[in-house]
Amino acid sequence: MNYARNKIELEENGFSVLSDLYSENEISGILACIENAEQDGNPFMKTKDLFAIRQLIKNVPELSDLLFNKKLNKLIADLSESEYFLTKAIYFDKPSESNWFVAYHQDLSISVDKKADLENYVNWTFKKGQHGIQPPIEILQDTITIRIHLDKTDKNNGALKVIPKSHLKGIVRADSKDWNIESEFVCEIEKGGAMLMKPLTLHASNRTTNGKKRRVIHLEFNKHKLTEPLAWLEHYGIKKPVANIV
């Protein structure tokens, strides 16, 4: 179990795909945990096109041990020598009848605990009770996104499309044509697999056309402390993998 190839692909192309992060039983346990926790409240968003749970670990704490299995802990350790921690956890359920699609974009916002007037922190938002902010670019460059797929996902049920190497161009204007759409790659993921991504990688997803669900847990990790008085809204440490003792 070595993720050196995924680390190289993530750095060079801005994304990487792996197939067997979780077993069938582990996925069943994760889904049961989420289903038992579904309730109304500010972190829960329900529409005909999407069900989402924000601040997932805070709102469904039983998920933590299920998500952070040996493979995920080893993956995070292999991706960086630095001390990374979890800064965002969201559950997305794109129902089978969903007409929701997302145009090409970069993930430029992080969630913080308060609003403060600071240099290089721009584009403040306040949605669903959360402050969002575009931080200094080095924080975005050092973010690692891991999207855990609870269903097999292909081009017919909303698999992410990406523009390889687009993360190397920095922040791209939404109306810019400074990328080659012909290089588009569709990230088809097996159930229990995961997609790794840099948030500056241009990505999009289509509507569902095959009547199948696409349930994903979106995790973001970082190593930076934010400029005071700001702090990450979510901040969870990661257990280090324990070496096998013979």
Side-chain angles (χ1 to χ4, degrees):
M1 189 169 62
N2 186 300
Y3 299 104
R5 175 185 62 82
N6 300 102
K7 178 180 180 178
I8 292 169
E9 288 178 352
L10 181 63
E11 294 298 331
E12 291 185 353
N13 296 323
F15 72 99
S16 181
V17 170
L18 51 101
S19 61
D20 59 348
L21 203 57
Y22 297 90
S23 68
E24 186 76 33
N25 284 342
E26 286 174 320
I27 292 297
S28 296
I30 290 169
L31 286 170
C33 189
I34 291 170
E35 286 162 8
N36 290 337
E38 288 186 16
Q39 352 172 339
D40 292 325
N42 206 32
F44 297 78
M45 183 173 71
K46 294 183 180 181
T47 70
K48 68 181 180 68
D49 280 338
L50 177 68
F51 172 68
I53 307 175
R54 301 178 188 280
Q55 298 186 59
L56 183 61
I57 302 302
K58 176 183 176 181
N59 288 291
V60 193
E62 303 82 7
L63 266 180
S64 183
D65 287 341
L66 298 176
L67 288 176
F68 287 89
N69 65 2
K70 288 182 179 179
K71 286 187 175 181
L72 180 61
N73 287 332
K74 180 67 164 62
L75 171 63
I76 296 164
D78 284 2
L79 290 177
S80 177
E81 297 172 0
S82 303
E83 287 283 340
Y84 269 68
F85 47 88
L86 180 67
T87 64
K88 185 178 289 188
I90 309 175
Y91 168 73
F92 290 109
D93 178 359
K94 192 175 187 180
S96 56
E97 68 276 9
S98 175
N99 283 321
W100 172 51
F101 79 100
V102 181
Y104 269 108
H105 67 287
Q106 298 170 302
D107 291 338
L108 300 179
S109 181
I110 63 171
S111 298
V112 294
D113 64 336
K114 62 176 72 70
K115 187 173 181 179
D117 186 14
L118 294 170
E119 188 176 0
N120 297 323
Y121 287 80
V122 299
N123 299 331
W124 283 96
T125 61
F126 187 72
K127 299 176 182 176
K128 301 289 180 182
Q130 296 184 184
H131 290 288
I133 183 63
Q134 182 178 318
I137 192 169
E138 59 267 19
I139 292 176
L140 297 174
Q141 289 170 331
D142 288 335
T143 296
I144 297 171
T145 298
I146 301 178
R147 292 169 55 89
I148 299 163
H149 283 250
L150 308 178
D151 300 291
K152 179 178 174 61
T153 309
D154 58 29
K155 64 182 180 180
N156 298 312
N157 66 329
L160 280 196
K161 305 180 294 184
V162 298
I163 306 297
K165 303 185 186 298
S166 54
H167 67 302
L168 302 174
K169 296 180 179 292
I171 295 172
V172 178
R173 284 167 45 109
D175 58 353
S176 171
K177 296 302 178 188
D178 189 25
W179 70 81
N180 180 10
I181 197 71
E182 293 177 1
S183 69
E184 176 181 278
F185 182 84
V186 179
C187 297
E188 300 194 336
I189 318 285
E190 293 297 323
K191 179 178 180 178
M195 176 187 177
L196 315 180
M197 189 176 70
K198 293 284 191 176
L200 294 180
T201 301
L202 284 156
H203 56 287
S205 67
N206 290 337
R207 293 179 174 88
T208 298
T209 59
N210 64 358
K212 294 183 178 179
K213 278 180 165 286
R214 192 210 71 178
R215 293 168 291 185
V216 173
I217 293 177
H218 176 107
L219 305 176
E220 293 181 14
F221 300 87
N222 209 288
K223 62 181 181 180
H224 290 279
K225 184 177 180 179
L226 303 179
T227 304
E228 292 184 347
L230 290 185
W232 296 94
L233 180 63
E234 299 169 72
H235 188 302
Y236 298 94
I238 298 164
K239 298 174 186 175
K240 286 201 169 289
V242 179
N244 292 326
I245 300 174
V246 179

